[in-house]
Amino acid sequence: MALENKIEMVVDLVEAAKNFFIDLFRPNMTLEKISDVVSPRLDDMIKKYEERGLKYSAGKFHVKYADEKHFQLEFEMYFQDDEGKWHKCANESEPRDAELLEIGAWKTIKALKVITFPIEKPQSAGDDVLKQDKKLQEYREEKLLDAPADKVDVEKK
């Protein structure tokens, strides 16, 4: 791969990461809705750079507690070129208003502080690249066991 093409690809990778979080949210988002919106964008990014000769290796997507009224989104992905050099593609959103979230999602983010979804390479079309956070699963199971029988958590599936 010519040096000029590699430099252009890395610059493009950085630009794509910078624009990733623009116009992502609508009101009343659950963690599942966030995953549903983010997953196809991450999948497209992986495909785009693999088509250009980079090999996707691993990554993580985070939903993080920022303060009493805000949360942030963040991702990092790692690609390797044909010469074995590693390239990191990452970005963090500006703080987002917690009012965009469904109340159960906000309570979960406040309790766990960081929810991490591993980003896996899709095996076939339509695969979800974001995988479930184990800490989130354990938290939900614990809350379900603690909840009165007549209460339903709208965020559980």
Side-chain angles (χ1 to χ4, degrees), residues 61-75:
F61 174 75
H62 309 280
V63 181
K64 299 175 11 180
Y65 175 84
D67 61 39
E68 274 303 309
K69 296 184 178 186
H70 299 95
F71 68 100
Q72 287 183 283
L73 307 173
E74 175 182 281
F75 75 91

Side-chain angles (χ1 to χ4, degrees), residues 7 26 35 76 92 124 147 154:
I7 291 171
R26 303 289 178 260
S35 177
E76 56 189 50
E92 185 175 284
S124 60
V154 294

Side-chain angles (χ1 to χ4, degrees), residues 39 42-44 46-47 50 55-58 119-131:
S39 189
L42 293 170
D43 183 27
D44 289 346
I46 291 168
K47 287 177 187 170
E50 285 199 327
K55 181 181 178 198
Y56 178 72
S57 180
I119 304 169
E120 296 181 6
K121 183 178 174 182
Q123 300 302 313
S124 60
D127 275 359
D128 192 2
V129 297
L130 291 180
K131 301 305 172 194

Side-chain angles (χ1 to χ4, degrees), residues 14-67:
V14 170
E15 281 302 309
K18 282 198 310 193
N19 294 325
F20 189 82
F21 292 115
I22 294 174
D23 194 37
L24 190 63
F25 276 85
R26 303 289 178 260
N28 218 22
M29 296 290 284
T30 63
L31 293 170
E32 287 76 13
K33 286 180 186 175
I34 292 171
S35 177
D36 290 346
V37 170
V38 170
S39 189
R41 289 181 177 207
L42 293 170
D43 183 27
D44 289 346
M45 194 175 282
I46 291 168
K47 287 177 187 170
K48 178 179 179 179
Y49 292 103
E50 285 199 327
E51 287 170 1
R52 296 172 121 190
L54 293 177
K55 181 181 178 198
Y56 178 72
S57 180
K60 293 181 180 181
F61 174 75
H62 309 280
V63 181
K64 299 175 11 180
Y65 175 84
D67 61 39

